[in-house]
Amino acid sequence: MSSGSNSARRVASLLRPSIIDSGVCRSCQETIGRRSYATATPAATESTTTPPVVTPAYTINAGVVLSRPPQITRELEPFEKAFFFYQKRLNERLALPFTKYFYFKRGTPADEDWKKKIQERRTAARDIGKYNAYDSDAWNDELLLGAEQSEPANQVEALVQDAESTANATSQDTSKKEDIPRPYPRITEADQKNDQKSLNRLLSRTLYLLVQSKEGNWKFPTSPVETGETLRLAAERTLSESAGVNMNTWMVGYHPVGWHKFNAPRAKKGETAKPDASGSKVFFLKSRIMAGQADLSINTQNLKDFKWLAKEELPQYLNTQYYSNIKNMLADR
C-alpha cells in the first residue's frame, strides 16, 4: 500500500471517529455511519445586490494634552523648612576651619571690636537670626516647627540686609547707598489677578490648555482624524487649527497616553434616531509648550475661549465623565 493512501486514511480517521471505537457510544456510531460529507463546495453564486452602507458606530478623533511644565521648585513644607535650616546651621558649625581667636587674641581691642560688630550684625558666619556658632549655646541649633527664621523669605531678607550693611560699611562713597537686588517673588502678578490665560501663573505647577467650543463646552484641543492621516499628524494639525501657530510646541511621542469615548446622542421621546448619528473616540497625545501663547483669532474650529489651568482646577470646567477618563494621565504637580 502506498504512503499516500495511508496518510489519507489517517486524516480520515481524525475527522471521522471509527465506529468500532469503544469510546463512542452505539447511538453516536450509528449517527456517524449515516452522516454524509460533501466532497466539494458548491459554486459561489454571483450576488446582484449591493451591500448596505453601514455608518460607523464611532469616529476617531485626535486630542492634544498641551502642558506647560513647572518653572520653579515647589513650596517647602514647614517641617522641610525647619529641617533644612537646622542642617545649614549644623554644617556651618562643623565645617568652620578656625575659631575667631585664630585671628583675634582674646581680650585685645580687635577682639572686642569683632564681638561688637557680630552683636550688631546678628548674622555671624552668614547665618540667620541670633544664633552664634561659637557661643556656649551653639548646641541649641534646632528650630520649632513654623519658626520665622525657617521661612525662605525671612532668610533672603536677612541675607540681603547683611550684604547691604557690609557693602555700605566698606564703601568709599558714603553719599550713595548700596542696594542689593532681591530675588523675584514666587507669587506673580498673574497669580494676584487670577489671570487664567497667562502662562506666568502657578509657576510651581503644571498648566494644561483647555479650549471652549461654540456650545460652551470645555475640552482639550480635538478634531477628527482625516483619511490617510496618522494620529501624530492629526494631533499636530489639531493644535495649529485650534490654538494657532504662535506657539513653539513639542510632541512628546507617537502613541496616545489615554482616550475618551462619547456615545451617540440618544433620540428624544417621540423622535426617530438619526441614521448617521455616531459617537466618537478621542485618543490623546502629550505635547509641551516651549514658548509663545495660544491665539484663537484665526482658529478654524469656532472656539470661543481658552484657559491655562492646573489639574485641581480642571473639574470646575470639564464634564465629570470626561475628567474621570483623563485625570490619571495628568501630572499631580
Side-chain angles (χ1 to χ4, degrees), residues 62 225-237 254:
V225 178
E226 298 179 354
T227 304
E229 196 175 37
T230 64
L231 197 61
R232 166 73 175 256
L233 293 176
E236 294 175 348
R237 175 184 53 79
Y254 289 86

Side-chain angles (χ1 to χ4, degrees), residues 178-254:
E178 187 74 21
D179 291 328
I180 304 297
R182 265 72 170 171
Y184 286 106
R186 299 176 63 93
I187 305 300
T188 64
E189 183 179 357
D191 288 320
Q192 297 173 352
K193 295 181 179 180
N194 195 25
D195 184 6
Q196 295 182 333
K197 291 186 177 182
S198 174
L199 283 166
N200 293 325
R201 62 186 296 265
L202 298 178
L203 297 181
S204 62
R205 301 299 310 279
T206 300
L207 298 182
Y208 299 95
L209 176 65
L210 287 189
V211 293
Q212 187 182 31
S213 64
K214 61 180 180 180
E215 294 82 11
N217 300 321
W218 290 92
K219 60 179 181 178
F220 291 129
T222 306
S223 68
V225 178
E226 298 179 354
T227 304
E229 196 175 37
T230 64
L231 197 61
R232 166 73 175 256
L233 293 176
E236 294 175 348
R237 175 184 53 79
T238 298
L239 201 54
S240 61
E241 289 180 354
S242 59
V245 295
N246 296 329
M247 294 187 298
N248 181 9
T249 59
W250 169 59
M251 299 298 296
V252 175
Y254 289 86

Side-chain angles (χ1 to χ4, degrees), residues 265-281:
R266 296 182 179 180
K268 297 181 180 180
K269 189 175 182 180
E271 297 181 356
T272 58
K274 297 181 180 180
D276 58 344
S278 62
S280 63
K281 291 184 179 181

